Amino acid sequence: MSTQIAPPGLKGLVVARTETGDVRGEEGFYHFREYSAVDLAQHRSFEDVAHLMVDGHLPDEAESRAFAAELAAASTLPHELLEQLLAIARSGPDRGSLARLRTAISLLASVEGFVPTYGAAPEQVRADVIRVMGAVPVLQAPPFRLRAGMPPLEPRPDLGAGGSWLWMLTGEEPAPEHAAAVTAYLTSTIDHGFSASTFTARVVTSAGADVASAVCGAIGTFSGPLHGGAPDRALDSLDEIGTPDRAREWVRERVTAGERIMGFGHPVYRTLDPRAALLREYAVQLGGPLASLAVQVEQEVIEALADLKPGRELHTNVEYYAGVVMEQCGIPREMFTPTFATARVVGWGAHILEQTRDPRIIRPAAEYVGPPAPAPLP
């Protein structure tokens, strides 16, 4: 029997069918279900787009209110978890928020008895997805404040998704333009095709595991610096460059050393990442020296990469301007990737729900390339 070997990283290999959305890399376009994701980020609330992903359609006014109330109710934590929150908050390094989130979600699932998705009623799986979606922000912001010696704060749904997140982190009611920029970032990053973390969530779900296990698996993948862990590193790089005239030499040094340039290049896009284009607009509107520096350095880095890696099509990706916008809005750098996670959990949830409709476990094969077997024991 002949064996077909998948390309490295499964690049370009179709492994499932989905109705959640798609990324069309050659065009620089992506969508959530049938709608442009960028249009949704500009014109609909985060909660409405979450409803679209979970329930399959944009809500009418009554559905919108009901879904927002459902998410708000899901943000209340059980007493048993609150008792452990300070211990969770004190664990690990400052930039270990995703590890703390995994711990908290596991504890939530244990306390509330999340059931395996295999054999569960669709209504139960949906309820568990909503529970995790609502809980993720309040499992991240309060531990951050507790570590800093500040009291945790309740969410503020009246401020919208971005405004509530900024409130829980900073303790200050955000400026409307900051709330709008963060909401647009959150909404635009809800989903993005079959990313590594999304695929992980679906693999775990295919085994019939509970929703929390699938989300924890996704978070583990997401924490990697080549995936969700990139926005803060992209901004760290901008800090190192310092001035536009240093950008080309900085890129040359990194490329010569075999390092990746965080914030540039994408495994799917061969054009400018549309999320980067959207967030660049918000960064420029917010203004200030950081936005000015980012725009100038961006062009220098793109031109340097074109010289050093001709034909590679290394354009700006979402992490570059995501870091700029979050910094402008006062989000601490160690909370950049956790902010990303508060959005992406919606996409994971949508894919978990979709995966439960196909009860087959995802079980690919591997080609053995080690020494011939069987070998005699020594």
Side-chain angles (χ1 to χ4, degrees):
M1 182 178 67
S2 62
T3 301
Q4 183 176 1
I5 304 299
L10 304 182
K11 184 175 177 62
L13 186 68
V14 175
V15 297
R17 291 179 173 177
T18 182
E19 296 176 356
T20 60
D22 194 20
V23 180
R24 304 209 296 251
E26 298 295 332
E27 302 173 40
F29 174 78
Y30 75 115
H31 55 103
F32 299 156
R33 299 204 184 272
E34 65 267 44
Y35 303 102
S36 160
V38 170
D39 287 349
L40 288 167
Q42 291 174 316
H43 302 294
R44 298 299 294 250
S45 70
F46 177 85
E47 294 80 5
D48 281 359
V49 180
H51 183 283
L52 168 70
M53 298 301 289
V54 170
D55 291 329
H57 66 277
L58 284 171
D60 59 27
E61 189 173 335
E63 289 173 323
S64 180
R65 288 195 301 270
F67 190 79
E70 195 175 5
L71 277 179
S75 69
T76 302
L77 300 181
H79 179 70
E80 297 93 326
L81 198 155
L82 288 172
E83 291 178 334
Q84 303 299 323
L85 205 58
L86 182 58
I88 293 172
R90 287 173 172 166
S91 65
D94 287 344
R95 293 195 182 187
S97 293
L98 290 188
R100 290 187 283 274
L101 176 61
R102 290 199 310 269
T103 301
I105 290 176
S106 291
L107 183 56
L108 174 69
S110 177
V111 167
E112 298 193 342
F114 278 37
V115 300
T117 57
Y118 183 78
E123 296 79 12
Q124 181 61 57
V125 179
R126 181 190 179 279
D128 289 347
V129 164
I130 296 295
R131 180 59 165 139
V132 174
M133 283 169 47
V136 161
V138 295
L139 291 175
Q140 296 193 99
F144 163 74
R145 288 182 61 84
L146 288 168
R147 284 178 68 86
M150 299 182 290
L153 296 171
E154 296 288 333
R156 289 275 306 273
D158 59 298
L159 297 177
S164 180
W165 178 246
L166 287 170
W167 158 257
M168 285 195 293
L169 289 177
T170 68
E172 298 179 2
E173 193 162 315
E177 59 270 24
H178 289 170
V182 173
T183 297
Y185 169 64
L186 293 173
T187 306
S188 68
T189 53
I190 277 176
D191 192 40
H192 201 247
F194 247 58
S195 67
S197 58
T198 297
F199 186 47
T200 300
R202 293 191 70 132
V203 170
V204 176
T205 303
S206 80
D210 63 88
V211 168
S213 293
V215 171
C216 285
I219 291 169
T221 306
F222 193 71
S223 66
L226 301 185
H227 192 6
D232 54 329
R233 289 171 172 82
L235 199 58
D236 289 345
S237 297
L238 192 58
D239 287 345
E240 289 180 24
I241 292 170
T243 58
D245 59 288
R246 291 198 63 246
R248 296 197 184 213
E249 182 58 31
W250 184 90
V251 171
R252 187 173 294 105
E253 291 172 358
R254 296 305 182 277
V255 170
T256 301
E259 298 177 15
R260 290 176 180 264
I261 308 300
M262 291 297 183
F264 295 86
H266 194 277
V268 177
Y269 290 117
R270 295 298 170 264
T271 63
L272 173 66
D273 186 332
R275 300 168 299 176
L278 172 71
L279 294 175
R280 184 202 286 147
E281 291 181 17
Y282 279 97
V284 171
Q285 289 170 12
L286 292 172
L290 178 60
S292 177
L293 173 65
V295 171
Q296 295 177 70
V297 167
E298 176 189 20
Q299 189 57 42
E300 294 293 332
V301 172
I302 289 173
E303 292 178 7
L305 288 172
D307 291 340
L308 294 167
K309 298 189 175 186
R312 287 286 303 275
E313 299 291 347
L314 298 173
H315 300 277
T316 317
N317 64 38
V318 64
E319 284 84 12
Y320 185 78
Y321 279 107
V324 172
V325 167
M326 284 189 274
E327 185 95 342
Q328 288 174 303
C329 294
I331 295 176
R333 205 164 291 193
E334 62 264 35
M335 296 304 290
F336 282 8
T337 301
T339 302
F340 198 172
T342 65
R344 188 52 63 87
V345 69
V346 176
W348 296 332
H351 280 272
I352 289 168
L353 287 166
E354 189 172 68
Q355 185 64 44
T356 59
R357 300 203 294 264
D358 184 352
R360 292 172 294 183
I361 191 169
I362 296 173
R363 207 299 190 185
E367 181 185 24
Y368 176 71
V369 294
L377 293 176

